[in-house]
Amino acid sequence: MIPEIGGAAAMVALALAVWGAVAAAVGTRTGRPALVLSAQHAALGVFVLVTACFALLTYAFLTFDFSLRYVAINTNLGTPFYYRITAVWGALEGSIILWAWMLSLYTLIVILRHRESAQELYPWVLTVMLAVMAFFLLVITVAAPPFERLAPVPADGRGLNPLLEDTGMITHPVALYLGFTGLTVPFAFALAALISGRVGDAWITMTRRWTIIAWYFLSLGLLIGGWWSYHVLGWGGYWAWDPVENAAFMPWLTATALLHSVMIQERRRMLKLWNLSLVILTFGLTLFGTFLTRSGVIASVHAFTQGSIGVFFLSFLALVLFTALGLLAWRWDALRAQGALDSILSRESAFLLNNVLLVAAAFTVFFGTVFPLLSEAVRGVKVSVGAPFFNQVNVPLFLALMFLMGVGPLIAWRRASLDSLRRNFVWPVALGALSAAPFFALGVRGAVALLAFVLTVFVAATISVDFVRATRARKRMGERVLPAMGGLLLRHNRRYGGFVVHLGILIVALGVTGSQAWSVQTETTLRRGEAVELAGYRVRFEGLSASEESNHFKVTGAFTVSNGRAVGVLQPAKKFYPQETSPIAGVDYRLGLREDVYLVLGDFAQDGSQATVKLQVNRLVSWIWIGGAVLTLGAMLAILPERKKPA
Amino acid sequence: MSARRGALGLALLLAAAATAAAQAPRAGEQQVHEVATQLRCVVCQNLSVADSPSEMAGQMRAIVRERLEAGQTPEQVVRYFVDRYGEWILLSPPRHGFTLLVWVVPAVAALAGLALAGLLLVRWTRRPSGAPAAGAGVDAAMRERIRREVEREP
Amino acid sequence: MTRRPVRWLLPLSVVPLLALLAYGFRVNPHEIPSPLVGRPAPGFALQTFEGAPFALEAQRGKVVVLNFWASWCRPACYEEAPVLERQWRTYRERGLVVIGVDIQDRDEAARTFVREFGLSFPNGRDTAGKVSVDYGVYGVPETFFIDRQGRIRAKHVGAVTDEAFRTNVEKLLADTTG
């Protein structure tokens, strides 16, 4: 029963989406609001139907309905309850349903929010969103149907990929997809602006909050992905420049650029063409990312691939790019820059530079990701482009961006006089330069790491300078310190939200620099009772134990860790799942503000007499997650509606 | 000042970290690690042999260790793997021949972008500003106050 | 400067990229061409599951089919095991040697595999992974066809079929020089 209802619901949803897209377009072109209203109802219908599909699929998972092929492949009788829910989006078909559901939810919210306020743009926004919706529903009904039956019905399923049995599985795809699908909204508005010819500032002002929200979820998804990689995948790192990681990173970079260049358009009415292009590029990269993940064209640890789905995504990507860029070319004349700038020393310049660097970084990541394909196409030789490349080429760009992060908020709009530059930057520059010596003394020898730390101090100082000065100004007007600070944050929440986000990024940068520059590791084989020492830690191998879990067989090592005083017993394990070809490493670690101790169990003797263990002492990694939390606070602050009460 | 206090706290934090950093692993392990970070783990995607927790990577690390201990240079060890797996085993493409492109093109693109931005900035600042100039009735002091006010706004 | 044609460069500029991505459908990112074909086969020695020693150098003058497998490699290794056994029985009188090397596996699982298919050709475990790295093995199963002079003439990735086996072996058996 379930497969039939689910399949039918998806097909009806597809029909409704197509109808709605067409109706909204025709309705606004021919001046028939009834059609636009009908499109709205269609969108609501789509939401209800997709929710039903999602619910049915979840129900099938929860009740071990192995008559559905998707359920049988991704779960088995031993899968714990909560992982049965997250398994719904654990593989291709379910992930598309999740995407479609979020898209339909966003469409609904757009309707509720904008049907009154955006008269000319709104119907076209609806058209675009429903058209994108229709594509994903097409994929669900034709290319990757989740409701396919399996005959004969197996007694037990294959099981979830063990790497996905983790809390990160609940949040990472959800956050990431909320980011990806959220970026559809600015794109829809951009196309609406181009189609309707209203390429002024209205569309971008309306989408500012959408962009921040989508950007925030994307950031969250990336950070959680890093956390997941760190504590599940067993290699002690949080970012591998895997093609699919890159696929999420590229739209994040361009979305960050957009968040900044929007401010130039708001103030100076310039960069219209650039902003439209950025939005189109960002959405295009989102689609490119989803194409990479699902087509198997570039090998990746994430890629879940299947049959013809790559062709669907590539075709849609082509359609979107041709349409959007064609519209852009059509409206070219209306988008020519009319404004002018006052001075090269200004915040506008800083933002422009920021954009160039961010887009350059996105291009670097893009080129490196597709280069293996290019190499094979041109000369038939396969090459790899991995972390060393991406790190080396991106680091200068990121360092420059960090510098700009300190300069941008303090430099004046329009024209920064030398006097104001001196006043704003003398302390931060001095502090930054002076901090080089202490860092060097602490053991930071690499030029890059040193520069990164110095820039961290510089940026932190600029944020403080601004905040302190503004608080002082309010104090002079009679407010006490704390209410003054609070008032600042709330009244100028956009500005200070941005500052807090910058602070969050800064802390993440601190964590990244520290972990890259200072982490150490070693690998050794220990007999029972033997110990290895690294960075002040002593790790002694106590023995192995075996246990039978609900869906796997686990061998756990016990290692006593101490660094002067006892830290505890770490228990990295190797988990043997019947459906997996090789064992999955289960790491154990102790996190700390200063450093993490991290153990991975390697080979071991069957009788438990010896084991190979990889020991890592990772420095400052926890600051990456702390930075993420700060970034969250900043984003929330920035999203708040502007308070317009008198100072 | 909050900036100074922040900097002090940071310094203390890092001092603690650095004292622990002083004790490095054996020189041999370091070399093994360096070679291993250049090689791609053949059974994982995009991880280096140094990072990968897989069994094959462990075996490859052991081979690297053995060869280094036998007196081979890091370059010779890397060459050994390239001879058997092809260029593909290098995690970072070599900086000569066709693969030089992947190193050069992004740098060129970044520089071109910066040059273009610079050009545009110069062009846009030469154009007469769209905003009307301050009227004659506004005196210098007023203008200074306005300027400071404008600079303070977010 | 003529503005009109320039603007249409924008949508056209994505064509090369899309073409490249479409090309990606034709290649398999998991198949790496081997630089070893045409070169002398690296020598190795191991102990078979029966306890007998096996050395590649001792097989000079015979055609050698070197097969890398693992008991967890489903379904490919399970498909090709009967093929290998069958072909081995057919060609063993004509100067063919088939040697199976088990990699990254556990002893009992490997022995079970050998028993299950009744493999009569020598099989041994590559415990330290040295042989597989020496042959640039990145997955299982992989099969190398080595001629009488000890040179690798072909590499087959994936399960070997009767036809693939026959084609390669016939060619090498016919070459009776040296």
Side-chain angles (χ1 to χ4, degrees):
Chain A
M1 263 292 270
I2 286 181
E4 282 73 37
I5 301 181
M11 276 195 274
V12 175
L14 174 61
L16 280 179
V18 172
W19 161 251
V22 170
V26 171
T28 189
R29 281 287 282 164
T30 58
R32 282 145 70 186
L35 278 179
V36 178
L37 196 62
S38 168
Q40 259 174 234
H41 295 153
L44 179 62
V46 168
F47 175 70
V48 169
L49 288 167
V50 176
T51 308
C53 282
F54 202 359
L56 284 169
L57 199 58
T58 311
Y59 179 73
F61 268 86
L62 286 175
T63 55
F64 297 114
D65 186 353
F66 294 131
S67 71
L68 258 77
R69 194 176 60 88
Y70 184 63
V71 179
I73 292 182
N74 287 301
T75 187
N76 60 27
L77 290 170
T79 311
F81 169 73
Y82 28 87
Y83 292 134
R84 263 180 277 146
I85 299 180
T86 65
V88 173
W89 54 79
L92 182 65
E93 294 89 337
S95 71
I96 309 246
I97 293 242
L98 182 66
W99 189 294
W101 182 76
M102 287 175 175
L103 206 52
S104 64
L105 181 62
Y106 272 121
T107 310
L108 211 59
I109 300 177
V110 166
I111 292 177
L112 291 172
R113 190 113 172 62
H114 292 286
R115 62 186 160 172
E116 307 297 328
S117 60
Q119 297 297 351
E120 300 92 9
L121 293 176
Y122 169 71
W124 292 112
V125 172
L126 206 52
T127 300
V128 173
M129 294 218 54
L130 284 172
V132 175
M133 185 86 233
F135 167 71
F136 281 96
L137 286 167
L138 186 68
V139 170
I140 290 174
T141 47
V142 176
F147 293 108
E148 247 180 30
R149 276 194 182 280
L150 191 62
V153 178
D156 196 1
R158 203 183 81 105
L160 184 62
N161 182 341
L163 291 174
L164 302 179
E165 286 194 356
D166 178 81
T167 47
M169 224 344 233
I170 305 173
T171 39
H172 166 67
V174 172
L176 212 57
Y177 284 16
L178 279 173
F180 284 142
T181 49
L183 288 172
T184 315
V185 179
F187 175 71
F189 271 89
L191 281 200
L194 284 170
I195 297 175
S196 65
R198 306 208 174 274
V199 294
D201 303 323
W203 76 269
I204 214 167
T205 317
M206 265 177 241
T207 54
R208 190 186 67 84
R209 203 168 266 119
W210 284 107
T211 312
I212 297 183
I213 292 175
W215 175 90
Y216 167 66
F217 280 122
L218 208 53
S219 312
L220 199 63
L222 288 168
L223 284 167
I224 296 177
W227 164 243
W228 181 13
S229 170
Y230 188 62
H231 83 277
V232 168
L233 293 186
W235 61 286
Y238 42 83
W239 186 263
W241 296 105
D242 179 88
V244 170
E245 289 173 333
N246 296 347
F249 193 47
M250 287 185 278
W252 183 87
L253 287 168
T254 55
T256 308
L258 184 64
L259 285 178
H260 290 86
S261 64
V262 160
M263 287 190 246
I264 299 188
Q265 184 164 346
E266 281 180 346
R267 263 157 230 282
R268 308 306 300 272
R269 303 185 177 286
M270 297 175 75
L271 297 186
K272 294 182 187 149
L273 180 61
W274 175 249
N275 283 327
L276 281 164
S277 311
L278 258 188
V279 172
I280 294 172
L281 181 63
T282 307
F283 185 66
L285 285 170
T286 308
L287 288 180
F288 175 68
T290 194
F291 163 75
L292 268 191
T293 325
R294 294 160 215 289
S295 65
V297 158
I298 298 179
S300 157
V301 72
H302 282 76
F304 27 27
T305 77
Q306 193 156 305
S308 61
I309 198 169
V311 178
F312 270 83
F313 275 98
L314 189 59
S315 313
F316 187 57
L317 179 63
L319 179 67
V320 162
L321 286 176
F322 282 136
T323 310
L325 293 176
L327 284 169
L328 203 61
W330 178 42
R331 293 289 190 202
W332 188 270
D333 292 316
L335 298 166
R336 305 302 289 133
Q338 289 133 0
L341 292 177
D342 292 305
S343 160
I344 294 187
L345 274 177
S346 62
R347 198 176 297 178
E348 289 92 331
S349 305
F351 278 18
L352 202 63
L353 216 56
N354 148 303
N355 266 231
V356 170
L357 291 170
L358 282 167
V359 174
F363 176 73
T364 305
V365 175
F366 177 78
F367 197 67
T369 306
V370 299
F371 191 75
L373 200 55
L374 186 66
S375 167
E376 193 166 356
V378 168
R379 56 178 193 145
V381 176
K382 279 196 157 81
V383 293
S384 302
V385 179
F389 165 78
F390 290 108
N391 285 331
Q392 278 178 45
V393 185
N394 274 324
V395 159
L397 295 172
F398 291 155
L399 286 176
L401 278 166
M402 268 177 74
F403 176 67
L404 280 178
M405 207 161 70
V407 167
L410 280 189
I411 197 172
W413 285 106
R414 294 183 161 265
R415 184 193 303 274
S417 66
L418 288 173
D419 190 49
S420 72
L421 284 178
R422 192 177 44 78
R423 242 182 321 118
N424 285 325
F425 292 108
V426 69
W427 266 115
V429 169
L431 275 173
L434 288 174
S435 70
F439 281 122
F440 192 80
L442 285 175
V444 184
R445 292 285 184 270
V448 168
L450 199 58
L451 187 56
F453 280 125
V454 161
L455 283 173
T456 310
V457 171
F458 169 70
V459 178
T462 59
I463 298 179
S464 315
V465 160
D466 180 282
F467 200 55
V468 161
R469 194 184 307 147
T471 311
R472 245 197 227 150
R474 288 177 86 99
K475 264 179 64 185
R476 249 179 294 159
M477 301 214 237
E479 271 186 279
R480 303 244 300 281
V481 174
L482 282 178
M485 286 163 92
L488 264 183
L489 287 176
L490 289 175
R491 170 130 188 271
H492 301 288
N493 63 310
R494 245 182 90 174
R495 176 177 173 79
Y496 288 98
F499 275 17
V500 176
V501 168
H502 281 180
L503 191 62
I505 302 263
L506 202 63
I507 298 176
V508 170
L510 183 70
V512 169
T513 313
S515 73
Q516 297 294 324
W518 269 336
S519 298
V520 288
Q521 67 166 63
T522 186
E523 187 179 28
T524 179
T525 309
L526 296 171
R527 279 195 297 276
R528 215 180 311 193
E530 265 192 323
V532 63
E533 299 206 3
L534 181 69
Y537 286 90
R538 192 160 178 281
V539 175
R540 193 176 70 209
F541 174 46
E542 306 297 350
L544 296 174
S545 60
S547 61
E548 191 78 48
E549 308 291 321
S550 70
N551 57 349
H552 62 274
F553 174 74
K554 189 155 96 166
V555 172
T556 315
F559 296 84
T560 316
V561 178
S562 61
N563 70 339
R565 48 176 183 77
V567 169
V569 177
L570 284 171
Q571 301 183 305
K574 257 190 145 128
K575 300 188 236 182
F576 298 87
Y577 288 80
Q579 76 269 26
E580 296 299 320
T581 55
S582 43
I584 309 283
V587 309
D588 204 2
Y589 45 81
R590 282 284 181 279
L591 300 181
L593 277 183
R594 192 191 345 156
E595 60 203 2
D596 304 338
V597 182
Y598 194 95
L599 283 178
V600 183
L601 182 65
D603 269 335
F604 51 86
Q606 297 287 14
D607 56 0
S609 60
Q610 66 176 39
T612 307
V613 68
K614 185 156 111 173
L615 165 65
Q616 283 183 328
V617 177
N618 297 321
R619 299 270 161 60
L620 300 187
V621 173
S622 298
W623 290 95
I624 298 177
W625 326 125
I626 295 175
V630 173
L631 195 146
T632 304
L633 292 173
M636 288 189 189
L637 193 58
I639 295 178
L640 287 177
E642 304 269 332
R643 297 265 220 98
K644 287 288 183 265
K645 69 181 210 297
Chain B
M1 255 190 124
S2 56
R4 225 182 275 156
R5 230 179 297 140
L8 187 62
L10 195 63
L12 280 174
L13 195 77
L14 296 167
T19 48
Q23 187 181 350
R26 314 195 300 276
E29 266 317 296
Q30 190 69 343
Q31 246 198 351
V32 171
H33 184 72
E34 261 165 43
V35 173
T37 48
Q38 293 175 50
L39 300 170
R40 177 183 187 156
C41 162
V42 296
V43 294
C44 348
Q45 307 296 353
N46 249 67
L47 279 186
S48 71
V49 166
D51 287 332
S52 166
S54 72
E55 195 177 334
M56 178 117 202
Q59 288 174 340
M60 285 171 81
R61 284 196 294 271
I63 293 176
V64 170
R65 198 173 289 123
E66 222 179 85
R67 289 183 164 257
L68 284 175
E69 278 168 6
Q72 289 199 337
T73 66
E75 295 75 33
Q76 284 174 319
V77 178
V78 171
R79 193 101 279 274
Y80 167 77
F81 283 97
V82 173
D83 282 344
R84 277 149 187 76
Y85 286 94
E87 251 176 64
W88 170 85
I89 192 113
L90 292 173
L91 202 54
S92 197
R95 286 180 214 231
H96 50 77
F98 182 77
T99 51
L100 184 62
L101 269 183
V102 78
W103 295 95
V104 165
V105 168
V108 165
L111 288 171
L114 287 170
L116 184 64
L119 215 74
L120 284 173
L121 273 176
V122 166
R123 197 199 295 182
W124 286 339
T125 50
R126 271 218 207 107
R127 244 184 253 170
S129 175
V138 180
D139 65 271
M142 179 63 123
R143 223 177 289 161
E144 175 60 27
R145 246 192 78 202
I146 292 174
R147 183 173 64 76
R148 247 190 269 133
E149 213 57 63
V150 165
E151 280 174 354
R152 199 180 300 165
E153 272 310 300
Chain C
M1 184 161 41
T2 49
R3 284 257 173 256
R4 292 205 65 112
V6 168
R7 55 168 86 181
W8 296 106
L9 273 181
L10 211 50
L12 286 177
S13 64
V14 298
V15 172
L17 169 67
L18 294 168
L20 180 66
L21 294 176
Y23 169 81
F25 289 128
R26 304 211 323 192
V27 300
N28 182 350
H30 297 279
E31 250 175 43
I32 322 289
S34 171
L36 290 175
V37 175
R39 302 235 293 267
F44 65 90
L46 44 75
Q47 231 192 22
T48 68
F49 287 113
E50 278 81 46
F54 178 94
L56 183 68
E57 294 83 353
Q59 315 304 323
R60 192 61 62 89
K62 303 207 195 115
V63 173
V64 179
V65 176
L66 169 57
N67 171 257
F68 289 91
W69 59 273
S71 68
W72 43 261
C73 140
R74 279 171 224 273
C77 295
Y78 285 74
E79 280 167 17
E80 71 168 7
V83 171
L84 289 168
E85 177 63 21
R86 200 166 36 241
Q87 298 297 333
W88 157 244
R89 298 223 182 129
T90 315
Y91 284 100
R92 67 190 296 178
E93 309 303 318
R94 295 176 51 185
L96 179 80
V97 173
V98 178
I99 167 78
V101 178
D102 173 42
I103 67 172
Q104 287 163 54
D105 213 345
R106 301 214 303 281
D107 200 55
E108 334 83 64
R111 283 180 194 272
T112 313
F113 184 91
V114 171
R115 229 186 350 257
E116 187 179 321
F117 290 99
L119 302 178
S120 56
F121 56 86
N123 279 278
R125 273 189 68 212
D126 177 23
T127 41
K130 292 227 196 84
V131 185
S132 60
V133 169
D134 234 3
Y135 277 82
V137 170
Y138 58 90
V140 279
E142 287 184 15
T143 310
F144 292 83
F145 294 91
I146 304 169
D147 68 12
R148 298 183 191 269
Q149 290 84 23
R151 260 204 322 268
I152 301 176
R153 299 294 285 272
K155 174 177 173 180
H156 185 102
V157 172
V160 170
T161 57
D162 286 293
E163 200 179 300
F165 194 101
R166 247 197 310 268
T167 324
N168 278 296
V169 165
E170 290 287 351
K171 195 164 45 177
L172 298 183
L173 282 174
D175 165 34
T176 46
T177 62

